[in-house]
Amino acid sequence: MGLKDFEILHRLGKGSFGTVYKCRRVSDGEIYAMKRVNISHMKDAEIGDALTEIRVLASVRHRNVVPFLESFVEKGRELVLVLDFCDGGDLAAVVEQARKARRLLGEAKIWHYAVQLVDGYLHGRSIVHRDVKPANAFLTAKGEVRIGDLNVSKIVKDDKGGLMKTQIAVPKPTTGLGGPDQT
């Protein structure tokens, strides 16, 4: 596949690594999101980050992670990722809309989003996203959350330090500000 197989409909957003477009596949009219990354002036480490995103997306199949269709290099200078199109926008737009309307998001709605973000199950596969934020939480028309933009994610190969399994304990009760109970 190549760019010739897609019709660009409009720009969805621009980030530090690339630009995302809504596009239509010419062969069947299906709608996708297309991330285009100009790699011609990138350092090797930055190209590595872009390739990590492809590896991660291609290896994860979960209802709360943006589905990956394919990737290709166009004319040796542009890395192109074709992804499922999340037709509900992103969580940042939901938050901004609520802010402008001067209304709070209800607790049930916040839990609805939070549970799906956590359910993306990246840590169970030794993947650290490293950029979880509302702009990287995409929504379907039904309100389902899908984690995306994994270009700075890392795959932890050897977790001897236990970073992927760290638990935080509840501290012992104290009296006042001076430390543990003295009774």
Side-chain angles (χ1 to χ4, degrees), residues 60-67 84 86 115-121 125 138 140 143-147:
V60 175
R61 297 280 183 248
H62 192 279
R63 70 182 174 277
N64 296 115
V65 177
V66 175
D84 196 45
C86 297
V115 165
Q116 291 181 73
L117 281 169
V118 170
D119 196 34
Y121 195 64
R125 295 175 180 260
F138 302 98
T140 67
E144 298 165 339
V145 177
R146 294 189 176 158
I147 300 165

Side-chain angles (χ1 to χ4, degrees), residues 70-140:
E70 66 178 296
S71 63
F72 52 89
V73 175
E74 187 71 21
K75 297 182 181 174
R77 67 179 190 281
E78 188 174 38
L79 181 62
V80 180
L81 287 76
V82 182
L83 309 159
D84 196 45
F85 175 65
C86 297
D87 48 0
D90 62 38
L91 200 50
V94 171
V95 171
E96 182 61 18
Q97 207 172 33
R99 187 190 68 75
K100 283 183 177 177
R102 306 192 90 187
R103 65 174 167 76
L104 298 175
L105 293 174
E107 183 177 351
K109 182 67 94 180
I110 292 169
W111 276 111
H112 171 76
Y113 293 142
V115 165
Q116 291 181 73
L117 281 169
V118 170
D119 196 34
Y121 195 64
L122 295 173
H123 285 189
R125 295 175 180 260
S126 297
I127 300 167
V128 182
H129 188 285
R130 298 188 343 152
D131 196 20
V132 176
K133 60 187 179 186
N136 291 338
F138 302 98
L139 303 171
T140 67

Side-chain angles (χ1 to χ4, degrees), residues 3 10 22 28 37 47 50 55 65 69 80 82 89 115 121 128 138 140-141 144 157 160-161 178 181 183:
L3 287 178
H10 65 274
K22 181 178 180 181
D28 60 8
V37 181
I47 293 171
R55 282 192 300 274
V65 177
L69 178 68
V80 180
V82 182
V115 165
Y121 195 64
V128 182
F138 302 98
T140 67
E144 298 165 339
K157 292 181 175 124
K160 290 183 179 175
D181 190 350
T183 58

